[in-house]
Structure formats: C-alpha cells, structure tokens
Amino acid sequence: MRLRVEQDVFVVRQMGREVARAVGMEQQDQTRLATALSEVGRVMLTFGHGADVTFEAVPSGVPTLRVKVVNSHPGDAAEVRMQLGQVGRLVDTLEVSDDEAGTVVGMARRLPASVPRLTPERMDDIRAGLAQHVPGTPLDELSVQNQQLIAALDEVRAQRDDLSRLNAELEETNRGVMALYNQLSQELEETNRGVVALYAELDEKSEQLRTVSEAKSRFLANVSHELRAPVTAVIGLARLLGDPASEPLGDEQRRQVDLISSSANDLLTLVNDLLDLAKAEAGRIEPEWSEVDLRAVFGQLRGTLRPLATRPEVDFMVEEPSPLSLSLYTDEVLLARVLRNLLTNAIKFTAEGEVRLAVRTVDDDIEFTVSDTGTGIPAELHERIFEEFYQVPRSRAITGKGTGLGLPYARRLVGILGGGLRVDSEPGRGSTFTVRLPLTRP
Ligand code: ADP
C-alpha cells in the first residue's frame, strides 16, 4: 500500500485491521496492530517523503504477521524511533533502521496458536478477499475507532469491577482465615493450659503414690519384723510340746500340736517373704557386685533343688553353662535367689515332663531360661502374676504352697541387678521364665 497523503493513514489503518482479522488475530490484537500501524504511518508522513506498507504472513514456526513501512529517505531512523515512543508496546517487536533504500520500520505480532494453518490456498483466499475490500471514509474509520474505544473502556470497567469484587472476596477470606486462626490459637492455648494442669496433677499423683508406696514398704517391713519373733516362738513351743522327752500327748492333742506347728511354719514363710519384698522395694538391698562363675552357681542350685524335684515323672535338668567358664558381673546371692525362686515354682507347677535351667549369651546380655512342661499360665495373666499376692485362680500347686510374693520379689531383684524378667506361657503347654542381665556391670 502507498502512504502519500493524510487520508492514506486511515486507509492503512483499516487495511491493517482487515489483514489482522483475515489471518486470525483476536479482536483486541486487531485493534492493537491497526493502532500501531496508523501511528507509524502518521509519524512517517510527517517527514514528508511518503512511505510504502507491506504485509507479510510467516506460516512456518510460530505463525507471525509482519508489517514493513519504508520511506525512500535514509537517515530518519533515529528521529522516527524517538517519535514512535510507546508504540512498541502494541506489538511483539518494533524495529526502526536505516538501509540504502530508506528508513524502515518493521513490526511483528505472533498469531494465536489456534488459528488455521496459513496454507498457500488460504493465503490466496485472504489476498482475494483483501483485494475486494472497499476502504471506508475517514469518518467511517473514526466511527469504528470510537466503537472500539467504547468496547475497550467497557472491558476496562468490567475488569476493574471484577478486580474489586475479587479484592472484596479476598478480604472476606482473609477475615475468615484470621478468625479461624484466632479461634485455633485460643483453643490451642486452652489445650496447652489443660495439658500443663494435667501434668502438674500427674506429678502430684505420682508423688503421692511414691509416698504411699514408701509408707507401705515401711509398714510391711516393720510388721513382718515384729511378727517374726512371736511366730518363731510358737514354732519352738510347738516343737517342745511334740518332743518325745516332754509329757506324752494324746492322739488328738498331737494332731492339734502338728496343726499349730505347720500353720506357724506357713506364717513364718509369709513373714519372711514379706520382709524380703519390703526390703527390696524400700531400696534397702545393696548388691555386692563381683565376677560370678556360673558353673558354681548352677552346681549349687542343682544340689539344693534336687531334693525338691522328687517326682519320677519330672526330669530336673540344670544344663552346664556354655562355655563352661561363662561368668558375669553381678550379685551372686541375689542371682541364685531369683533362679531358685523360678525353679521352685516350675517344680511346684509341673506334674510330668521336665523342668530345665539353661543359659546363653545374647548380644551384650546373658539370658537364663527356666522352662517347664507344667500347667502354664493364660496370656491375660502374664503381667498379673508379678503383682503381690496374686496367684492364678484354680492353679493348684502340685507340691507345696505359696504366698504369691515370689515373682514380684524376683522381678524386683532382677531390676536391682539391672535386668528384666519376663514370661512366655500357655495353659497346658508349660511356661518359660527368662531373666535377662547385662554381662558387665550396668
Ligand atoms: P507363689 O508363692 O504362689 O508361687 P509366685 O509369685 O511365685 O507365688 O507366683 C504367682 C503365681 O504365678 C503362682 O501362684 C502360680 O499361679 C503362677 N505361677 C508361677 N510360676 C508358675 C509356673 N512355672 N507354672 C505355672 N504357674 C506359675
């Protein structure tokens, strides 16, 4: 297109919009390109040389529409560039340069990705359409321009309204979030206060418990100590009464004296057990640590317990430690007391099969197992049997009686030695009590 007189600027503007529409640009981009083109045309005309305008569609790569405006007067580039000012913002690229033919202004704008491909046939159609285009008068163009301006202003207003609505929504959301946050932090604070109070109460309760437990231990220790002397006296007196050197007794009298004697013996066992437990609980047991040779301990246990395991249906086995020289750092007397206690129980509750003591090392620990093929203990009572005086209901000892104090005492002692005592057992299949102690001093 030629640009020679002012009126041509309107025609070029119209044609720019038409070309932009024909190659598929959106409405707003059409206006942008048309506006940029009319600005460039207006500026070029002010130099008084006229100009030629060429439209070029680039179909390859990102499809682009290029417009070139050339006047035949080299050397105006710097001035043109200055006057075009903000026009570059309307297109993707705007370049102004001088070449030998004249001053060249090149603009380009990418087409939307969704436009149909610019095939040669389509280009022919576009060209044919444009050739038939009858340019309107400047007044027509002014009217189109006004319409576009109104539409643009409307859009701006709609966007401003949208923006203020969004702002209001955002503010509302913020207020909601703040309220929620305040509520949550209030709740958290309250919960924290509750937790702190609860802890204080717990501390108080455990302090009370400790005091009560100490009082109980003290009481048990005192009472059992005081009971021991009279009970021993009763046993002595009963023995004297039954002594053949004393006055002879009638049959009924002898039976009664035997009854007194056996009851007093039971009582003495109970008193002794209570005293032991009370001492252990009061922390009055100080272990005497030394390197303990297990072979010797096992030998002693074998010797002292064999007389209890008299039933031919039950094999009583104390295995040899392996290696034979196995030793550990502990209190020999307390360890022997624990193992004797467990072995006595096993013998007591086993009618047939075997009772076995074994030892092995596990990592840095040593494990003693006392296993039997006796009555066994239901799973739900595995912890209860370590409570004072607890005895499994209906589990009658095959030999001897008990006080229900042996296991709590054994567990205390193992604790004092720095280890743990646990049980695995199933009714009818037997029980295994395991004492785990550190090999070296804890
Ligand atoms: P007790 O003096 O009654 O033996 P313990 O504290 O030693 O007291 O044991 C508590 C209870 O645990 C026993 O009365 C018995 O019911 C159960 N018990 C302990 N050892 C065994 C075992 N080896 N087999 C079956 N039951 C056992």
Side-chain angles (χ1 to χ4, degrees), residues 140 171 191 303:
D140 293 340
E171 241 167 67
T191 314

Side-chain angles (χ1 to χ4, degrees), residues 341 345-346 348-349 372 375-377 385 390-392 395 401-408 431 433:
N341 189 317
N345 272 352
K348 222 159 56 174
F349 292 99
D372 64 56
T375 52
I377 303 155
I385 54 170
Y390 188 81
Q391 296 183 307
V392 175
S395 86
K401 301 188 205 144
T403 58
L405 292 171
L407 286 179
S431 316
F433 285 82

